[in-house]
Amino acid sequence: MGIGLLPANAQVILDLSQVTCGQFLKIDAERQALVGWWMSGYFSATKNLNELDLRYVKRNAKVVTEYCKKNKSNTVMIAMQKNWR
């Protein structure tokens, strides 16, 4: 079952190393935003950062989405790793 087909109240675990950019682009904007916030926390943790720069959250979400539009078969994690700042 694709992630875009899940009911809004379903509790699921998304393995972003498995979710393709094409699948990511098909989910609703609210869930895309949640993934964006998760990405921010993930990369902040990898850099031992305690601060959240909202400018980068917005920028990174936009850049990853644009990358995904051109690379639909890549995973979301690849998109994040290549584009996150």
Side-chain angles (χ1 to χ4, degrees):
M1 175 185 310
I3 59 175
L5 302 176
L6 296 171
N9 61 353
Q11 291 183 347
V12 297
I13 296 172
L14 296 178
D15 181 346
L16 294 178
S17 69
Q18 300 296 316
V19 175
T20 67
C21 283
Q23 291 171 317
F24 172 73
L25 294 171
K26 291 179 183 177
I27 62 175
D28 61 75
E30 182 178 338
R31 289 186 189 179
Q32 284 184 6
L34 288 172
V35 172
W37 283 101
W38 179 87
M39 288 189 283
S40 178
Y42 176 85
F43 280 101
S44 291
T46 64
K47 296 177 182 180
N48 292 321
L49 299 175
N50 296 321
E51 296 175 344
L52 179 62
D53 188 331
L54 298 177
R55 295 172 298 174
Y56 284 119
V57 173
K58 186 174 181 178
R59 176 246 175 237
N60 290 336
K62 180 179 178 181
V63 172
V64 167
T65 299
E66 290 303 314
Y67 175 89
C68 278
K69 288 178 182 177
K70 297 174 185 171
N71 301 279
K72 293 181 181 173
S73 63
N74 281 353
T75 65
V76 174
M77 282 301 288
I78 289 171
M80 290 174 9
Q81 290 167 343
K82 289 187 177 210
N83 295 284
W84 205 260
R85 236 169 107 177

